[in-house]
Amino acid sequence: MNHGGLGDDAPVYVISVAAELSGLHPQTLRQYDRLGLVSPGRAPGRGRRYSARDVQMLREVQRLSQEEGINLAGIKRILELQREVAELRETVFHLHNELEAARSAVARRGAAQGPPPVPGGELMPVRRTRVTVFGAALQPDPREDRRAEPREEPRDDLREDPRRD
């Protein structure tokens, strides 16, 4: 719904136009704004300005409400979770790129050093659930099982006998 070279997030529609585009009453748009379901941008005079993405969101809120029978609190939670999932996907994307770059750097470094000196010392992909940080001094995890040093129990023949005095 990109018009005139503006992005989908550009706040261009006044409330009456956004209401017409979404098929909702302007008062419904105000209520959705108050509830935090769809929060439009603001013009310098504090008037609401809706973007194409906001209009899409208004339509989705209406669909969830009318077709799926979900109440507004449920819709708000759904929208929050959708935003969180999108943020997490973006984070995973960036972490995946960083991991690939690190793997490439390690492979280049390994190729520059020649063949490994020990048989079986070549780099192999390994799946682990822990992250190893090189060059950083880490404190041991207090939750890990640490073996306590054995304490010596006092021997009976070395104990002081109160009757000896």
Side-chain angles (χ1 to χ4, degrees):
M1 190 186 266
N2 194 342
H3 297 293
L6 297 174
D8 285 344
D9 292 323
V12 293
Y13 304 114
V14 296
I15 193 166
S16 59
V17 174
E20 188 175 327
L21 289 172
S22 64
L24 298 169
H25 192 278
Q27 193 60 35
T28 305
L29 274 62
R30 289 183 189 95
Q31 180 185 11
Y32 288 176
D33 185 13
R34 278 191 301 274
L35 295 173
L37 293 172
V38 179
S39 299
R42 296 287 180 165
R46 299 295 299 150
R48 292 174 175 87
R49 293 292 186 269
Y50 290 85
S51 67
R53 190 175 316 278
D54 292 333
V55 172
Q56 285 178 308
M57 190 65 65
L58 290 167
R59 289 179 181 161
E60 178 65 7
V61 169
Q62 185 69 4
R63 186 191 71 74
L64 289 170
S65 175
Q66 297 298 315
E67 294 177 17
E68 304 294 330
I70 301 172
N71 66 21
L72 295 179
I75 293 172
K76 184 174 183 177
R77 184 67 179 137
I78 288 169
L79 296 177
E80 289 169 355
L81 290 171
Q82 286 176 339
R83 274 190 287 273
E84 186 176 338
V85 166
E87 289 171 6
L88 290 171
R89 283 184 177 158
E90 185 175 344
T91 300
V92 167
F93 174 78
H94 291 297
L95 290 173
H96 182 325
N97 288 341
E98 286 180 31
L99 177 61
E100 289 303 315
R103 284 181 175 162
S104 295
V106 168
R108 282 192 307 272
R109 193 174 305 145
Q113 292 175 354
V118 230
E122 53 276 336
L123 295 175
M124 302 281 298
V126 177
R127 289 186 174 250
R128 295 190 183 248
T129 56
R130 293 183 179 205
V131 175
T132 303
V133 179
F134 295 99
L138 299 177
Q139 298 296 324
D141 189 349
R143 295 172 290 178
E144 287 184 10
D145 179 28
R146 284 187 253 149
R147 298 178 193 260
E149 294 183 21
R151 294 188 324 211
E152 286 189 31
E153 291 296 323
R155 293 185 357 208
D156 286 340
D157 58 28
L158 297 179
R159 287 189 184 154
E160 290 188 29
D161 188 357
R163 296 175 286 171
R164 267 196 223 174
D165 294 323

